[in-house]
Amino acid sequence: MERKVRVRFAPSPTGPLHIGGMRTALYNYLFARQQGGDFLLRIEDTDQGRFVPGAEDYIIEALKWCNISPNEGIGFGDGPHAPYRQSARKIMYREYVDKLIESGNAYYAFDTAEELEALRKNAEANKSSFAYNANTRKSLINSITLTTEECEKKLKNGDHFVVRFKIPELGQVMLKDIVRGDVVVEVSSLDDKVLFKSDGMPTYHLANVVDDYLMQITHVIRGEEWLPSAPLHVLLYRSFGWEQVMPQFAHLPLLLKPDGNGKLSKRDGDRLGFPVFPLNWTDPFTGEVSSGYRERGYSPEAFANMIAVLGWHPTGEQELFSMDEMIKQFSLERVHKAGAKFDPEKTKWFNQQYLKKQTDIELAQSLSQYIEKQPKYSCIEESRKELVFLETVCKLMREKVHFVHEIFDMAPYFFFEPQSYDESVISKKWNDDAEKVIQTYLQSLQTETEVKSNRYEELFKATCADLNLKDGQFVQILRVCITGMSGGAALYDTMALLGNDIVIARLKFALNKLS
RNA sequence: GGUCCGUUCGUCUAGGGGUUAGGACGUAUCCCUUUCACGGAUAAGACACGAGUUCGAUUCUCGUACGGACUACCA
């Protein structure tokens, strides 16, 4: 019988999600939406020692920002399988561990962490390695080596114990992975992983399998770092007798560092100057702030598009995909096998592409929000904060930027009176002729009212012609006098927007400063 | 070390037994343009290596090299 597709994103709230985690969430979401299935968010907080305040809220906020909405789970209205936080499901796991112990697939182990650590160190010193497995469990302290009485006594005593999975001695596990094909592993290479910790909490392996079963998950889409433990998970399903409803696996390629090798980590962002997180994050312990894509001015659509094509691509040469297009075209079969090196440069291009799709007024609204947060906001004249003004600014600047905020950052002359003038242009082009041109132009402007863009141009050309000079040589000078800068928006349009009074004032000021 | 995964321009990728191996980012040059951009055009730039299968392999198989993940009472 065809089951309804149900997938989950199951992060651990140990810090902010980075772009790799966001991509995993996205792929789960795309797949669920395309298949008409469910997508749920489950919080895997079985390690109480790694709890980080705020991390869970961060995850929810990041998903919402990116329009990756689970239809079930923490932060999204829960659902029929609540609770969706593993710490709140704690009591359920014990029942399942007991089943495994009863069926002989798991056993109590009483070795302390220190004892095992010593064994590991020892093995390392001998250039070998220690694993709790079929060979070594016979000589360690557990319910296999202990008599039933001894074991019960220890349990009754309240001695600390863990429950370990008993890996079969012989055989192979075959894992069918949608991305990678069949992966075969000898069970003898696996070790007896802890399923149930001495603090009464399950480990990831147990909780993940039990919850996926209970929540009727059909596809496990997760990062490649889980591939090595996937055979264990298969064995777990088998031991529980759940193999018929075992989810299909799809292990996603890793996101790699832009420089060198290795998987992208939280540190790389600060080191290389680009965000690795969707949103800003302040570490609650150190106060350290890591920057996010949202705060850097990326649109969520651009962000989603850019992470989606890092490891997945449909046939053809399309690069830009709306969320709906991605939902339509996504397929796990077309996810790459190899890891993708993250390229921070290309992210800017993606944002630019999405910026181009926005209307002037939409841009003006975003720009307005940005300007309000500027320290010099109060110095800006009121009329230049108005949307109609900003709309024209955006119209003039939109082709020149990757981000809305750059409109403000790159073109301060729309908001402030220039105080200094680009030295490279002045030193090269400011001379007696230039002064004469600006002087004459200023005079003719003073006789005009309501000057339009093409009139500014006409007048400037006429001014130069009257002086027997070529206008082309002096346009740069005019630009610098008006804006202070050597590059920027279409000059005469800029002047028209600013208005004749401002233009005259700026020319006077410049003449004063430069001559 | 062991287990597993991977390898097409610098990067993201399309392709796939016979192709001038395509696109995008970035880089360079040119055109457009009074600037800066946008846009357009052009250029440089890749099938890791060695065998095998085959008339033919970048594509299939096997090795080698290189890279990566995992190897906790973390997820």
Side-chain angles (χ1 to χ4, degrees), chain A residues 26 29 36 120 142 174 186 223 265 298 344 365 370 406 515:
Chain A
L26 213 213
Y29 171 75
R120 263 181 211 109
N142 51 51
M174 220 253 288
E186 293 291 334
S265 76
Y298 286 81
Q365 274 152 1
Y370 177 74
E406 287 178 336
S515 47

mmCIF file of all heavy atoms in Angstrom, chain A residues 26 29 36 120 142 174 186 223 265 298 344 365 370 406 515:
data_model
loop_
_atom_site.group_PDB
_atom_site.id
_atom_site.type_symbol
_atom_site.label_atom_id
_atom_site.label_comp_id
_atom_site.label_asym_id
_atom_site.label_seq_id
_atom_site.Cartn_x
_atom_site.Cartn_y
_atom_site.Cartn_z
ATOM 1 N N LEU A 26 15.108 22.595 3.576
ATOM 2 C CA LEU A 26 14.505 22.971 2.288
ATOM 3 C C LEU A 26 14.185 21.743 1.445
ATOM 4 O O LEU A 26 13.092 21.609 0.905
ATOM 5 C CB LEU A 26 15.488 23.853 1.509
ATOM 6 C CG LEU A 26 15.027 24.962 0.578
ATOM 7 C CD1 LEU A 26 15.961 25.144 -0.600
ATOM 8 C CD2 LEU A 26 13.586 24.894 0.140
ATOM 9 N N TYR A 29 11.297 19.944 2.743
ATOM 10 C CA TYR A 29 10.090 20.711 2.463
ATOM 11 C C TYR A 29 9.666 20.561 1.000
ATOM 12 O O TYR A 29 8.505 20.283 0.694
ATOM 13 C CB TYR A 29 10.351 22.179 2.802
ATOM 14 C CG TYR A 29 9.261 23.126 2.366
ATOM 15 C CD1 TYR A 29 8.063 23.203 3.058
ATOM 16 C CD2 TYR A 29 9.439 23.957 1.260
ATOM 17 C CE1 TYR A 29 7.060 24.084 2.659
ATOM 18 C CE2 TYR A 29 8.447 24.841 0.852
ATOM 19 C CZ TYR A 29 7.259 24.896 1.558
ATOM 20 O OH TYR A 29 6.276 25.755 1.152
ATOM 21 N N GLY A 36 2.822 15.961 -2.097
ATOM 22 C CA GLY A 36 1.559 16.140 -1.402
ATOM 23 C C GLY A 36 1.589 15.520 -0.016
ATOM 24 O O GLY A 36 0.576 15.059 0.501
ATOM 25 N N ARG A 120 40.233 3.081 25.282
ATOM 26 C CA ARG A 120 40.475 3.752 24.006
ATOM 27 C C ARG A 120 41.890 4.324 23.934
ATOM 28 O O ARG A 120 42.585 4.179 22.943
ATOM 29 C CB ARG A 120 39.466 4.886 23.808
ATOM 30 C CG ARG A 120 38.320 4.448 22.973
ATOM 31 C CD ARG A 120 37.300 5.519 22.713
ATOM 32 N NE ARG A 120 36.027 4.812 22.598
ATOM 33 C CZ ARG A 120 35.062 4.847 23.480
ATOM 34 N NH1 ARG A 120 35.171 5.592 24.559
ATOM 35 N NH2 ARG A 120 33.978 4.134 23.296
ATOM 36 N N ASN A 142 28.878 -6.321 31.438
ATOM 37 C CA ASN A 142 27.542 -6.127 30.888
ATOM 38 C C ASN A 142 26.669 -7.349 31.155
ATOM 39 O O ASN A 142 27.133 -8.353 31.691
ATOM 40 C CB ASN A 142 27.646 -5.843 29.391
ATOM 41 C CG ASN A 142 28.501 -6.881 28.694
ATOM 42 O OD1 ASN A 142 28.277 -8.078 28.850
ATOM 43 N ND2 ASN A 142 29.516 -6.418 27.949
ATOM 44 N N MET A 174 22.259 -4.119 3.942
ATOM 45 C CA MET A 174 22.166 -3.381 2.692
ATOM 46 C C MET A 174 21.293 -2.169 2.897
ATOM 47 O O MET A 174 20.197 -2.281 3.422
ATOM 48 C CB MET A 174 21.588 -4.270 1.597
ATOM 49 C CG MET A 174 22.275 -4.045 0.292
ATOM 50 S SD MET A 174 21.329 -3.174 -0.913
ATOM 51 C CE MET A 174 20.119 -4.391 -1.366
ATOM 52 N N GLU A 186 29.455 -4.766 6.108
ATOM 53 C CA GLU A 186 29.575 -5.961 6.943
ATOM 54 C C GLU A 186 29.202 -5.576 8.372
ATOM 55 O O GLU A 186 29.729 -4.604 8.907
ATOM 56 C CB GLU A 186 31.026 -6.467 6.934
ATOM 57 C CG GLU A 186 31.507 -7.007 5.606
ATOM 58 C CD GLU A 186 30.840 -8.327 5.213
ATOM 59 O OE1 GLU A 186 30.402 -9.068 6.128
ATOM 60 O OE2 GLU A 186 30.739 -8.595 3.995
ATOM 61 N N GLY A 223 21.823 14.841 6.190
ATOM 62 C CA GLY A 223 23.190 15.057 5.712
ATOM 63 C C GLY A 223 24.005 13.774 5.628
ATOM 64 O O GLY A 223 23.711 12.780 6.288
ATOM 65 N N SER A 265 31.900 24.978 8.299
ATOM 66 C CA SER A 265 31.584 25.029 9.719
ATOM 67 C C SER A 265 31.262 26.447 10.142
ATOM 68 O O SER A 265 31.477 27.403 9.401
ATOM 69 C CB SER A 265 32.751 24.492 10.532
ATOM 70 O OG SER A 265 33.776 25.453 10.582
ATOM 71 N N TYR A 298 19.990 39.977 2.248
ATOM 72 C CA TYR A 298 19.551 38.993 1.259
ATOM 73 C C TYR A 298 18.046 38.792 1.362
ATOM 74 O O TYR A 298 17.480 38.818 2.456
ATOM 75 C CB TYR A 298 20.240 37.648 1.487
ATOM 76 C CG TYR A 298 21.686 37.629 1.073
ATOM 77 C CD1 TYR A 298 22.675 38.145 1.909
ATOM 78 C CD2 TYR A 298 22.067 37.102 -0.156
ATOM 79 C CE1 TYR A 298 24.006 38.137 1.527
ATOM 80 C CE2 TYR A 298 23.400 37.092 -0.541
ATOM 81 C CZ TYR A 298 24.371 37.606 0.303
ATOM 82 O OH TYR A 298 25.678 37.596 -0.075
ATOM 83 N N PRO A 344 30.756 32.139 -1.785
ATOM 84 C CA PRO A 344 30.073 33.335 -1.271
ATOM 85 C C PRO A 344 29.852 34.388 -2.365
ATOM 86 O O PRO A 344 28.902 35.156 -2.281
ATOM 87 C CB PRO A 344 31.026 33.878 -0.210
ATOM 88 C CG PRO A 344 32.058 32.849 0.011
ATOM 89 C CD PRO A 344 32.065 31.933 -1.161
ATOM 90 N N GLN A 365 10.345 50.728 -0.423
ATOM 91 C CA GLN A 365 9.875 50.347 0.909
ATOM 92 C C GLN A 365 10.989 49.695 1.725
ATOM 93 O O GLN A 365 11.186 50.007 2.899
ATOM 94 C CB GLN A 365 8.667 49.415 0.798
ATOM 95 C CG GLN A 365 7.380 50.205 0.674
ATOM 96 C CD GLN A 365 6.290 49.477 -0.089
ATOM 97 O OE1 GLN A 365 6.462 48.343 -0.531
ATOM 98 N NE2 GLN A 365 5.148 50.142 -0.245
ATOM 99 N N TYR A 370 15.574 50.412 5.764
ATOM 100 C CA TYR A 370 17.013 50.412 6.031
ATOM 101 C C TYR A 370 17.471 51.780 6.525
ATOM 102 O O TYR A 370 18.222 51.904 7.482
ATOM 103 C CB TYR A 370 17.770 50.023 4.770
ATOM 104 C CG TYR A 370 19.277 50.072 4.917
ATOM 105 C CD1 TYR A 370 19.954 49.109 5.643
ATOM 106 C CD2 TYR A 370 20.018 51.104 4.327
ATOM 107 C CE1 TYR A 370 21.333 49.148 5.794
ATOM 108 C CE2 TYR A 370 21.401 51.162 4.461
ATOM 109 C CZ TYR A 370 22.049 50.173 5.197
ATOM 110 O OH TYR A 370 23.403 50.229 5.339
ATOM 111 N N GLU A 406 22.608 48.942 -0.549
ATOM 112 C CA GLU A 406 23.698 49.590 -1.291
ATOM 113 C C GLU A 406 23.233 50.874 -1.971
ATOM 114 O O GLU A 406 24.037 51.741 -2.286
ATOM 115 C CB GLU A 406 24.266 48.624 -2.340
ATOM 116 C CG GLU A 406 25.088 47.507 -1.740
ATOM 117 C CD GLU A 406 25.603 46.528 -2.792
ATOM 118 O OE1 GLU A 406 24.999 46.411 -3.874
ATOM 119 O OE2 GLU A 406 26.613 45.878 -2.519
ATOM 120 N N SER A 515 37.653 76.441 -5.906
ATOM 121 C CA SER A 515 38.450 77.470 -6.563
ATOM 122 C C SER A 515 39.316 78.249 -5.579
ATOM 123 O O SER A 515 39.213 78.099 -4.392
ATOM 124 C CB SER A 515 37.546 78.400 -7.361
ATOM 125 O OG SER A 515 36.437 78.794 -6.585
#
